[in-house]
Amino acid sequence: MRSKRAERDWKRRGQVSVTFNWIYILVAGAVILLFFVGIIFKQKASAEQQLSIEVVDILESIFSGAQASEKTKTPIDTSGLADYTLYFKCEDKVTTYGIKDSSGSAEAPLAPIFSPTELQTPRLILWSLPYRLPYKITDFLLITSPNTKYFLIGDIKFANEFINASDDPDPRNKINIEYVLAGDYAGIDAEGNYNVRVVDLDGSVVDASNPLPPGLLQMEDLRVTGVSFRGNNVFFFHKKGSNWEAEGPVPIVSVDPVRDVAKYASIIAGSKQIYECNMQKAFERASLVTRAYIGKTESLVSQYQDDPGACLPFLQEGDKSAMTRIGLLQGGLARCGNELTYQLCSHDDLRNYAKDIQTRNEQLRTGACRTLY
Amino acid sequence: MKKNKKMGRDRKAQIQMTETVAILFIFFVLLTFGIVFYYQFQKSSLQNKQEEIFQRQAIEKTTQVLFLPELSCTKGEGESEDFCFDILKLNQAEELLKIDYYYQIFGFATITVEQVFPDEQDFSGDESSSPKIWPVYDREKKDAEGNVIWERKEETRFVVTLKDESQGKAEYKVGVVTVGVYQ
């Protein structure tokens, strides 16, 4: 027979054992639970990272495809990414884009991509346009969205041209543009758009001395930007409180009197930096394309040496000959491609050289000679 | 009697121990099986992804060559003629495309343009004359010692028009552009 004391000890041991079992189960359960919760969080983060990488990867392919298809507009359904913010920036001649606050991003070191700095949209509109100086240099890719609104003010002729050029039979490709009279500037309203760009075509409305329209005051500073065209320069502005803050001017280098792609790109580019940086890319490429044309001009000159006729002078004679001007253009472009400053790069010279080459090419064409381009 | 009881408890413990070891063994076998299966699955999906990227790069590079302003024909106003290369530009291309800038576009690749019609041999009647080939870009994947290190070469061909203005007026010929991409 067990003694009373032994029986008490036995019961106590049983109680301790049961309590210990429960604690053990609780601890083990909590560890297992934490392990799975950890896996779920890790998996979620990894899935989001994977998604951002895949999205950027797809965008990269779409952008390079869209850029190759000249003069086309392509709608890209991004409804699955409507809650995410796409960002675009350009530094040291490299465009970087991706999903904000995620690790996935892509770089475009060569292709000029003009877009607002941020987009949050169920659809992207990609517009590819050829940039000429005076021959084709590259295709500019303009990226915007239906919820980015462009208010055009002044110069009705250019406004109509831009509205017609950006128009498309496919409603999904229509850029959100409205023409506003200078007198109605104060009535401009955000209308629930994600970004608003005020385009002052006469250079008289958007200025640091002029306050913002009251309808834009509620928007975030980053979402409201403006451009003002004055002579051959475009001045960039962004909202700061209730005023415009100047970012500075950038020269527009172009020889096209209509469908001026460099001007169109400045309307779409979200900041001075995006415009300037991508134009530098274009100038760098232009310098190389011009080398190809120098080679072609030399071949044409040597062909015409045996039978000079009326064609050779257009190519070789005088300081405004195609040969001279194309050499000067190449040098100027190389300088502008490296540093887009007023000290090293003369945009007026670039424009003049390109116009002279254009004139010589036209003279060659009308003189039944072989043309440069 | 006490001894018998102790022996019984020991045997029970031994059986429980064996059970635990067996369970642990099965658990680790299953775990190893799962890890191997997952590794194989990841390896195969990675290979598929690499293949997909490689194929896409090959197509992208071919597209970029076809629309390269440094090679393409123009129609007076700077408009490009689709799928057409200017022979006067092709003659200069190899030198121009040696610049590092083009490595960023084409990477490790070989691009050649060959005139296939009219056949120059038939045209000149000279059996020894070789077909007209323009090596446009040539960057083979090599290590620091110059040894070839590529495993695969994917070639894409595309028929193009060749515009020849060397004889005074523009003549159009048929050519094939071959873009070889290295992996």
Tab-separated table of all heavy atoms in Angstrom, chain B residues 49-103:
chain	number	residue	atom	x	y	z
B	49	LYS	N	13.189	30.298	-68.579
B	49	LYS	CA	13.204	31.764	-68.533
B	49	LYS	C	14.399	32.302	-69.323
B	49	LYS	O	14.264	33.243	-70.101
B	49	LYS	CB	13.280	32.206	-67.060
B	49	LYS	CG	13.131	33.673	-66.829
B	49	LYS	CD	11.672	34.074	-66.736
B	49	LYS	CE	11.544	35.580	-66.707
B	49	LYS	NZ	10.249	36.034	-67.121
B	50	GLN	N	15.565	31.664	-69.108
B	50	GLN	CA	16.785	32.077	-69.824
B	50	GLN	C	16.602	31.926	-71.329
B	50	GLN	O	16.972	32.800	-72.103
B	50	GLN	CB	17.966	31.214	-69.379
B	50	GLN	CG	18.647	31.759	-68.133
B	50	GLN	CD	19.813	30.895	-67.714
B	50	GLN	OE1	19.852	29.708	-67.997
B	50	GLN	NE2	20.747	31.487	-67.006
B	51	GLU	N	15.992	30.822	-71.718
B	51	GLU	CA	15.747	30.544	-73.138
B	51	GLU	C	14.811	31.607	-73.730
B	51	GLU	O	15.047	32.130	-74.814
B	51	GLU	CB	15.135	29.132	-73.272
B	51	GLU	CG	14.837	28.693	-74.684
B	51	GLU	CD	16.078	28.544	-75.545
B	51	GLU	OE1	17.169	28.370	-74.997
B	51	GLU	OE2	15.938	28.662	-76.783
B	52	GLU	N	13.771	31.930	-72.943
B	52	GLU	CA	12.784	32.924	-73.381
B	52	GLU	C	13.464	34.296	-73.575
B	52	GLU	O	13.260	34.968	-74.584
B	52	GLU	CB	11.704	33.030	-72.294
B	52	GLU	CG	10.451	33.764	-72.699
B	52	GLU	CD	9.548	34.002	-71.494
B	52	GLU	OE1	9.240	33.026	-70.787
B	52	GLU	OE2	9.198	35.146	-71.243
B	53	ILE	N	14.310	34.666	-72.590
B	53	ILE	CA	15.021	35.957	-72.667
B	53	ILE	C	15.962	35.970	-73.874
B	53	ILE	O	16.031	36.948	-74.616
B	53	ILE	CB	15.798	36.237	-71.353
B	53	ILE	CG1	14.813	36.513	-70.212
B	53	ILE	CG2	16.763	37.417	-71.489
B	53	ILE	CD1	15.423	36.548	-68.831
B	54	PHE	N	16.643	34.870	-74.086
B	54	PHE	CA	17.590	34.760	-75.206
B	54	PHE	C	16.871	34.916	-76.554
B	54	PHE	O	17.314	35.652	-77.431
B	54	PHE	CB	18.309	33.413	-75.105
B	54	PHE	CG	19.340	33.188	-76.171
B	54	PHE	CD1	20.405	34.065	-76.310
B	54	PHE	CD2	19.250	32.114	-77.033
B	54	PHE	CE1	21.364	33.861	-77.293
B	54	PHE	CE2	20.194	31.902	-78.015
B	54	PHE	CZ	21.254	32.778	-78.151
B	55	GLN	N	15.738	34.206	-76.680
B	55	GLN	CA	14.961	34.277	-77.936
B	55	GLN	C	14.460	35.707	-78.151
B	55	GLN	O	14.488	36.216	-79.275
B	55	GLN	CB	13.744	33.336	-77.877
B	55	GLN	CG	14.084	31.877	-77.774
B	55	GLN	CD	14.586	31.302	-79.093
B	55	GLN	OE1	14.427	31.920	-80.120
B	55	GLN	NE2	15.223	30.149	-79.036
B	56	ARG	N	13.995	36.332	-77.071
B	56	ARG	CA	13.461	37.684	-77.172
B	56	ARG	C	14.556	38.677	-77.574
B	56	ARG	O	14.331	39.548	-78.405
B	56	ARG	CB	12.848	38.088	-75.830
B	56	ARG	CG	11.801	39.190	-75.959
B	56	ARG	CD	11.160	39.496	-74.671
B	56	ARG	NE	12.137	39.978	-73.703
B	56	ARG	CZ	11.970	39.942	-72.394
B	56	ARG	NH1	10.884	39.439	-71.887
B	56	ARG	NH2	12.894	40.390	-71.577
B	57	GLN	N	15.733	38.486	-76.991
B	57	GLN	CA	16.864	39.363	-77.334
B	57	GLN	C	17.214	39.234	-78.809
B	57	GLN	O	17.492	40.234	-79.470
B	57	GLN	CB	18.086	38.985	-76.498
B	57	GLN	CG	18.078	39.631	-75.130
B	57	GLN	CD	19.289	39.235	-74.316
B	57	GLN	OE1	19.999	38.296	-74.646
B	57	GLN	NE2	19.517	39.948	-73.231
B	58	ALA	N	17.183	37.998	-79.307
B	58	ALA	CA	17.514	37.764	-80.717
B	58	ALA	C	16.529	38.514	-81.620
B	58	ALA	O	16.930	39.172	-82.584
B	58	ALA	CB	17.490	36.273	-81.018
B	59	ILE	N	15.244	38.445	-81.272
B	59	ILE	CA	14.216	39.123	-82.085
B	59	ILE	C	14.369	40.644	-81.968
B	59	ILE	O	14.310	41.360	-82.961
B	59	ILE	CB	12.806	38.653	-81.675
B	59	ILE	CG1	12.635	37.175	-82.060
B	59	ILE	CG2	11.712	39.496	-82.334
B	59	ILE	CD1	11.474	36.478	-81.446
B	60	GLU	N	14.590	41.109	-80.725
B	60	GLU	CA	14.734	42.564	-80.506
B	60	GLU	C	15.919	43.122	-81.285
B	60	GLU	O	15.824	44.189	-81.882
B	60	GLU	CB	14.924	42.845	-79.013
B	60	GLU	CG	13.599	43.030	-78.291
B	60	GLU	CD	13.760	43.238	-76.785
B	60	GLU	OE1	14.883	43.490	-76.319
B	60	GLU	OE2	12.747	43.111	-76.101
B	61	LYS	N	17.032	42.387	-81.292
B	61	LYS	CA	18.231	42.863	-81.994
B	61	LYS	C	17.988	42.899	-83.496
B	61	LYS	O	18.416	43.828	-84.175
B	61	LYS	CB	19.435	41.995	-81.644
B	61	LYS	CG	19.986	42.360	-80.280
B	61	LYS	CD	21.058	41.455	-79.795
B	61	LYS	CE	21.383	41.804	-78.345
B	61	LYS	NZ	22.293	40.877	-77.728
B	62	THR	N	17.267	41.905	-84.013
B	62	THR	CA	16.952	41.902	-85.451
B	62	THR	C	16.079	43.111	-85.784
B	62	THR	O	16.318	43.801	-86.779
B	62	THR	CB	16.226	40.589	-85.834
B	62	THR	OG1	16.978	39.508	-85.320
B	62	THR	CG2	16.060	40.448	-87.329
B	63	THR	N	15.079	43.386	-84.954
B	63	THR	CA	14.195	44.543	-85.175
B	63	THR	C	15.002	45.834	-85.162
B	63	THR	O	14.795	46.712	-85.991
B	63	THR	CB	13.107	44.603	-84.068
B	63	THR	OG1	12.594	43.303	-83.891
B	63	THR	CG2	11.991	45.555	-84.415
B	64	GLN	N	15.930	45.921	-84.198
B	64	GLN	CA	16.728	47.144	-84.089
B	64	GLN	C	17.614	47.353	-85.319
B	64	GLN	O	17.785	48.474	-85.771
B	64	GLN	CB	17.572	47.118	-82.816
B	64	GLN	CG	16.753	47.555	-81.613
B	64	GLN	CD	17.376	47.156	-80.296
B	64	GLN	OE1	18.105	46.176	-80.219
B	64	GLN	NE2	17.082	47.891	-79.264
B	65	VAL	N	18.144	46.264	-85.869
B	65	VAL	CA	18.976	46.385	-87.084
B	65	VAL	C	18.120	46.892	-88.238
B	65	VAL	O	18.530	47.785	-88.984
B	65	VAL	CB	19.594	45.015	-87.468
B	65	VAL	CG1	20.350	45.123	-88.786
B	65	VAL	CG2	20.515	44.534	-86.399
B	66	LEU	N	16.926	46.329	-88.370
B	66	LEU	CA	16.057	46.677	-89.506
B	66	LEU	C	15.666	48.154	-89.506
B	66	LEU	O	15.404	48.723	-90.556
B	66	LEU	CB	14.790	45.811	-89.502
B	66	LEU	CG	15.023	44.322	-89.761
B	66	LEU	CD1	13.759	43.534	-89.517
B	66	LEU	CD2	15.523	44.083	-91.171
B	67	PHE	N	15.617	48.764	-88.325
B	67	PHE	CA	15.190	50.172	-88.252
B	67	PHE	C	16.363	51.119	-87.902
B	67	PHE	O	16.128	52.255	-87.512
B	67	PHE	CB	14.069	50.330	-87.211
B	67	PHE	CG	12.801	49.650	-87.628
B	67	PHE	CD1	12.485	48.381	-87.177
B	67	PHE	CD2	11.922	50.274	-88.497
B	67	PHE	CE1	11.322	47.749	-87.571
B	67	PHE	CE2	10.753	49.651	-88.894
B	67	PHE	CZ	10.452	48.381	-88.433
B	68	LEU	N	17.582	50.634	-88.053
B	68	LEU	CA	18.749	51.454	-87.688
B	68	LEU	C	18.920	52.616	-88.686
B	68	LEU	O	19.179	52.373	-89.864
B	68	LEU	CB	19.992	50.556	-87.686
B	68	LEU	CG	21.141	50.943	-86.775
B	68	LEU	CD1	20.736	50.866	-85.311
B	68	LEU	CD2	22.341	50.047	-87.024
B	69	PRO	N	18.809	53.871	-88.238
B	69	PRO	CA	18.932	55.001	-89.178
B	69	PRO	C	20.318	55.053	-89.835
B	69	PRO	O	20.461	55.614	-90.904
B	69	PRO	CB	18.717	56.239	-88.303
B	69	PRO	CG	18.149	55.755	-87.036
B	69	PRO	CD	18.576	54.341	-86.869
B	70	GLU	N	21.320	54.456	-89.161
B	70	GLU	CA	22.676	54.445	-89.712
B	70	GLU	C	22.761	53.583	-90.970
B	70	GLU	O	23.745	53.666	-91.711
B	70	GLU	CB	23.665	53.886	-88.664
B	70	GLU	CG	23.928	54.805	-87.485
B	70	GLU	CD	22.905	54.682	-86.365
B	70	GLU	OE1	21.783	54.190	-86.632
B	70	GLU	OE2	23.207	55.082	-85.236
B	71	LEU	N	21.783	52.723	-91.218
B	71	LEU	CA	21.814	51.826	-92.377
B	71	LEU	C	20.646	52.050	-93.333
B	71	LEU	O	20.746	51.760	-94.523
B	71	LEU	CB	21.757	50.353	-91.923
B	71	LEU	CG	22.818	49.838	-90.962
B	71	LEU	CD1	22.556	48.378	-90.640
B	71	LEU	CD2	24.215	49.981	-91.568
B	72	SER	N	19.549	52.536	-92.814
B	72	SER	CA	18.310	52.503	-93.604
B	72	SER	C	18.253	53.546	-94.725
B	72	SER	O	18.890	54.598	-94.664
B	72	SER	CB	17.100	52.632	-92.695
B	72	SER	OG	17.209	53.801	-91.955
B	73	CYS	N	17.466	53.234	-95.745
B	73	CYS	CA	17.261	54.127	-96.891
B	73	CYS	C	16.284	55.228	-96.470
B	73	CYS	O	15.455	55.036	-95.578
B	73	CYS	CB	16.619	53.377	-98.045
B	73	CYS	SG	17.394	51.817	-98.444
B	74	THR	N	16.404	56.365	-97.131
B	74	THR	CA	15.485	57.467	-96.839
B	74	THR	C	14.814	57.944	-98.128
B	74	THR	O	15.304	57.668	-99.218
B	74	THR	CB	16.231	58.643	-96.181
B	74	THR	OG1	17.418	58.888	-96.923
B	74	THR	CG2	16.586	58.368	-94.743
B	75	LYS	N	13.709	58.680	-97.935
B	75	LYS	CA	12.935	59.129	-99.100
B	75	LYS	C	12.882	60.655	-99.159
B	75	LYS	O	11.824	61.247	-99.143
B	75	LYS	CB	11.507	58.591	-99.021
B	75	LYS	CG	11.394	57.094	-99.112
B	75	LYS	CD	9.956	56.646	-99.095
B	75	LYS	CE	9.354	56.702	-97.700
B	75	LYS	NZ	8.058	56.016	-97.594
B	76	GLY	N	13.996	61.319	-99.151
B	76	GLY	CA	14.029	62.775	-99.326
B	76	GLY	C	13.718	63.577	-98.089
B	76	GLY	O	14.498	64.388	-97.672
B	77	GLU	N	12.593	63.335	-97.448
B	77	GLU	CA	12.208	64.134	-96.285
B	77	GLU	C	12.666	63.496	-94.967
B	77	GLU	O	12.146	63.824	-93.904
B	77	GLU	CB	10.685	64.327	-96.251
B	77	GLU	CG	10.137	65.267	-97.317
B	77	GLU	CD	10.732	66.674	-97.256
B	77	GLU	OE1	10.790	67.251	-96.159
B	77	GLU	OE2	11.154	67.186	-98.301
B	78	GLY	N	13.594	62.585	-95.085
B	78	GLY	CA	14.082	61.942	-93.869
B	78	GLY	C	13.226	60.766	-93.450
B	78	GLY	O	13.494	60.130	-92.438
B	79	GLU	N	12.190	60.480	-94.245
B	79	GLU	CA	11.336	59.323	-93.957
B	79	GLU	C	12.100	58.045	-94.304
B	79	GLU	O	12.712	57.972	-95.375
B	79	GLU	CB	10.076	59.371	-94.839
B	79	GLU	CG	9.178	60.558	-94.575
B	79	GLU	CD	8.243	60.328	-93.419
B	79	GLU	OE1	7.707	59.225	-93.319
B	79	GLU	OE2	8.074	61.263	-92.624
B	80	SER	N	12.051	57.067	-93.445
B	80	SER	CA	12.760	55.815	-93.739
B	80	SER	C	11.936	54.952	-94.674
B	80	SER	O	10.712	54.966	-94.631
B	80	SER	CB	12.991	55.051	-92.444
B	80	SER	OG	13.819	55.784	-91.611
B	81	GLU	N	12.655	54.215	-95.536
B	81	GLU	CA	11.976	53.208	-96.356
B	81	GLU	C	12.057	51.909	-95.563
B	81	GLU	O	13.149	51.511	-95.141
B	81	GLU	CB	12.685	53.048	-97.698
B	81	GLU	CG	12.462	54.211	-98.642
B	81	GLU	CD	13.180	54.019	-99.979
B	81	GLU	OE1	12.979	52.977	-100.621
B	81	GLU	OE2	13.933	54.918	-100.348
B	82	ASP	N	10.929	51.274	-95.377
B	82	ASP	CA	10.892	50.073	-94.530
B	82	ASP	C	11.727	48.937	-95.112
B	82	ASP	O	11.682	48.667	-96.306
B	82	ASP	CB	9.442	49.598	-94.347
B	82	ASP	CG	8.666	50.545	-93.439
B	82	ASP	OD1	9.307	51.331	-92.742
B	82	ASP	OD2	7.419	50.491	-93.460
B	83	PHE	N	12.453	48.270	-94.255
B	83	PHE	CA	13.255	47.082	-94.586
B	83	PHE	C	14.157	47.329	-95.790
B	83	PHE	O	14.230	46.499	-96.709
B	83	PHE	CB	12.342	45.861	-94.819
B	83	PHE	CG	11.317	45.692	-93.747
B	83	PHE	CD1	9.952	45.724	-94.037
B	83	PHE	CD2	11.703	45.530	-92.428
B	83	PHE	CE1	9.007	45.607	-93.029
B	83	PHE	CE2	10.764	45.409	-91.414
B	83	PHE	CZ	9.407	45.444	-91.721
B	84	CYS	N	14.789	48.481	-95.820
B	84	CYS	CA	15.680	48.822	-96.923
B	84	CYS	C	16.992	49.379	-96.366
B	84	CYS	O	16.968	50.225	-95.471
B	84	CYS	CB	14.994	49.861	-97.822
B	84	CYS	SG	16.078	50.517	-99.103
B	85	PHE	N	18.120	48.855	-96.882
B	85	PHE	CA	19.437	49.370	-96.470
B	85	PHE	C	20.082	50.103	-97.633
B	85	PHE	O	20.007	49.650	-98.777
B	85	PHE	CB	20.348	48.218	-96.023
B	85	PHE	CG	19.949	47.565	-94.727
B	85	PHE	CD1	20.375	46.281	-94.422
B	85	PHE	CD2	19.163	48.232	-93.797
B	85	PHE	CE1	20.018	45.667	-93.228
B	85	PHE	CE2	18.806	47.628	-92.593
B	85	PHE	CZ	19.232	46.350	-92.324
B	86	ASP	N	20.712	51.233	-97.319
B	86	ASP	CA	21.406	52.039	-98.307
B	86	ASP	C	22.831	51.492	-98.445
B	86	ASP	O	23.586	51.467	-97.465
B	86	ASP	CB	21.412	53.506	-97.800
B	86	ASP	CG	21.981	54.475	-98.798
B	86	ASP	OD1	22.771	54.046	-99.657
B	86	ASP	OD2	21.631	55.668	-98.713
B	87	ILE	N	23.206	51.083	-99.657
B	87	ILE	CA	24.532	50.462	-99.842
B	87	ILE	C	25.662	51.452	-99.523
B	87	ILE	O	26.683	51.068	-98.973
B	87	ILE	CB	24.653	49.857	-101.264
B	87	ILE	CG1	23.783	48.598	-101.324
B	87	ILE	CG2	26.103	49.534	-101.622
B	87	ILE	CD1	23.790	47.843	-102.630
B	88	LEU	N	25.444	52.733	-99.836
B	88	LEU	CA	26.482	53.728	-99.516
B	88	LEU	C	26.710	53.823	-98.004
B	88	LEU	O	27.817	54.099	-97.557
B	88	LEU	CB	26.108	55.107	-100.072
B	88	LEU	CG	26.170	55.268	-101.598
B	88	LEU	CD1	25.764	56.679	-102.000
B	88	LEU	CD2	27.551	54.945	-102.143
B	89	LYS	N	25.661	53.593	-97.240
B	89	LYS	CA	25.810	53.594	-95.776
B	89	LYS	C	26.412	52.264	-95.314
B	89	LYS	O	27.204	52.238	-94.365
B	89	LYS	CB	24.454	53.799	-95.104
B	89	LYS	CG	23.913	55.223	-95.189
B	89	LYS	CD	22.617	55.273	-94.403
B	89	LYS	CE	21.929	56.611	-94.472
B	89	LYS	NZ	20.612	56.577	-93.820
B	90	LEU	N	26.015	51.175	-95.975
B	90	LEU	CA	26.527	49.850	-95.589
B	90	LEU	C	28.043	49.783	-95.727
B	90	LEU	O	28.718	49.139	-94.925
B	90	LEU	CB	25.904	48.768	-96.473
B	90	LEU	CG	24.559	48.193	-96.063
B	90	LEU	CD1	24.098	47.155	-97.079
B	90	LEU	CD2	24.619	47.545	-94.689
B	91	ASN	N	28.568	50.494	-96.755
B	91	ASN	CA	30.024	50.478	-96.986
B	91	ASN	C	30.795	51.066	-95.802
B	91	ASN	O	31.942	50.718	-95.584
B	91	ASN	CB	30.368	51.270	-98.257
B	91	ASN	CG	29.853	50.572	-99.512
B	91	ASN	OD1	29.660	49.358	-99.523
B	91	ASN	ND2	29.614	51.334	-100.567
B	92	GLN	N	30.151	51.964	-95.052
B	92	GLN	CA	30.832	52.616	-93.920
B	92	GLN	C	30.474	51.948	-92.576
B	92	GLN	O	31.081	52.272	-91.553
B	92	GLN	CB	30.397	54.101	-93.787
B	92	GLN	CG	30.068	54.821	-95.062
B	92	GLN	CD	31.309	55.196	-95.839
B	92	GLN	OE1	32.357	55.389	-95.234
B	92	GLN	NE2	31.195	55.278	-97.153
B	93	ALA	N	29.478	51.079	-92.606
B	93	ALA	CA	28.862	50.613	-91.359
B	93	ALA	C	29.819	49.895	-90.412
B	93	ALA	O	29.795	50.124	-89.203
B	93	ALA	CB	27.677	49.722	-91.678
B	94	GLU	N	30.667	49.034	-90.967
B	94	GLU	CA	31.518	48.208	-90.093
B	94	GLU	C	32.396	49.083	-89.190
B	94	GLU	O	32.534	48.812	-87.997
B	94	GLU	CB	32.392	47.279	-90.931
B	94	GLU	CG	33.022	46.201	-90.064
B	94	GLU	CD	33.956	45.292	-90.822
B	94	GLU	OE1	34.252	45.577	-91.993
B	94	GLU	OE2	34.395	44.300	-90.217
B	95	GLU	N	32.944	50.144	-89.787
B	95	GLU	CA	33.817	51.049	-89.028
B	95	GLU	C	33.016	51.793	-87.964
B	95	GLU	O	33.445	51.912	-86.810
B	95	GLU	CB	34.459	52.032	-90.026
B	95	GLU	CG	35.808	52.566	-89.611
B	95	GLU	CD	36.805	51.514	-89.151
B	95	GLU	OE1	36.922	50.456	-89.791
B	95	GLU	OE2	37.438	51.771	-88.101
B	96	LEU	N	31.840	52.293	-88.386
B	96	LEU	CA	31.003	53.079	-87.469
B	96	LEU	C	30.509	52.240	-86.289
B	96	LEU	O	30.534	52.675	-85.138
B	96	LEU	CB	29.809	53.669	-88.237
B	96	LEU	CG	28.814	54.486	-87.423
B	96	LEU	CD1	29.437	55.760	-86.880
B	96	LEU	CD2	27.586	54.859	-88.261
B	97	LEU	N	30.052	51.032	-86.594
B	97	LEU	CA	29.446	50.206	-85.541
B	97	LEU	C	30.465	49.560	-84.595
B	97	LEU	O	30.093	48.820	-83.685
B	97	LEU	CB	28.505	49.154	-86.142
B	97	LEU	CG	27.055	49.633	-86.286
B	97	LEU	CD1	26.918	50.726	-87.302
B	97	LEU	CD2	26.106	48.500	-86.583
B	98	LYS	N	31.746	49.876	-84.811
B	98	LYS	CA	32.768	49.397	-83.863
B	98	LYS	C	32.750	50.244	-82.588
B	98	LYS	O	33.281	49.847	-81.563
B	98	LYS	CB	34.159	49.502	-84.499
B	98	LYS	CG	34.528	48.286	-85.319
B	98	LYS	CD	35.911	48.438	-85.889
B	98	LYS	CE	36.190	47.274	-86.833
B	98	LYS	NZ	37.330	47.583	-87.710
B	99	ILE	N	32.128	51.422	-82.665
B	99	ILE	CA	32.056	52.327	-81.512
B	99	ILE	C	31.268	51.645	-80.383
B	99	ILE	O	30.260	50.976	-80.640
B	99	ILE	CB	31.392	53.668	-81.928
B	99	ILE	CG1	32.274	54.351	-82.981
B	99	ILE	CG2	31.175	54.585	-80.736
B	99	ILE	CD1	31.652	55.549	-83.648
B	100	ASP	N	31.742	51.839	-79.153
B	100	ASP	CA	31.145	51.164	-77.989
B	100	ASP	C	29.647	51.394	-77.831
B	100	ASP	O	28.946	50.560	-77.255
B	100	ASP	CB	31.856	51.599	-76.704
B	100	ASP	CG	33.149	50.830	-76.516
B	100	ASP	OD1	33.327	49.821	-77.223
B	100	ASP	OD2	33.973	51.251	-75.696
B	101	TYR	N	29.175	52.548	-78.303
B	101	TYR	CA	27.749	52.884	-78.203
B	101	TYR	C	26.888	51.730	-78.745
B	101	TYR	O	25.870	51.374	-78.152
B	101	TYR	CB	27.490	54.142	-79.025
B	101	TYR	CG	26.063	54.651	-79.006
B	101	TYR	CD1	25.656	55.588	-78.068
B	101	TYR	CD2	25.129	54.206	-79.939
B	101	TYR	CE1	24.366	56.070	-78.062
B	101	TYR	CE2	23.834	54.680	-79.938
B	101	TYR	CZ	23.458	55.620	-79.002
B	101	TYR	OH	22.171	56.077	-78.994
B	102	TYR	N	27.335	51.128	-79.852
B	102	TYR	CA	26.527	50.085	-80.502
B	102	TYR	C	26.571	48.763	-79.751
B	102	TYR	O	25.689	47.927	-79.933
B	102	TYR	CB	26.945	49.930	-81.974
B	102	TYR	CG	26.629	51.187	-82.743
B	102	TYR	CD1	27.595	52.166	-82.947
B	102	TYR	CD2	25.347	51.439	-83.194
B	102	TYR	CE1	27.297	53.351	-83.599
B	102	TYR	CE2	25.031	52.632	-83.842
B	102	TYR	CZ	26.011	53.575	-84.039
B	102	TYR	OH	25.701	54.752	-84.661
B	103	TYR	N	27.597	48.618	-78.891
B	103	TYR	CA	27.645	47.415	-78.058
B	103	TYR	C	26.453	47.412	-77.094
B	103	TYR	O	25.909	46.369	-76.761
B	103	TYR	CB	28.972	47.357	-77.295
B	103	TYR	CG	29.013	46.237	-76.294
B	103	TYR	CD1	29.089	44.913	-76.716
B	103	TYR	CD2	28.940	46.494	-74.932
B	103	TYR	CE1	29.092	43.881	-75.799
B	103	TYR	CE2	28.949	45.472	-74.010
B	103	TYR	CZ	29.024	44.169	-74.445
B	103	TYR	OH	29.012	43.137	-73.538
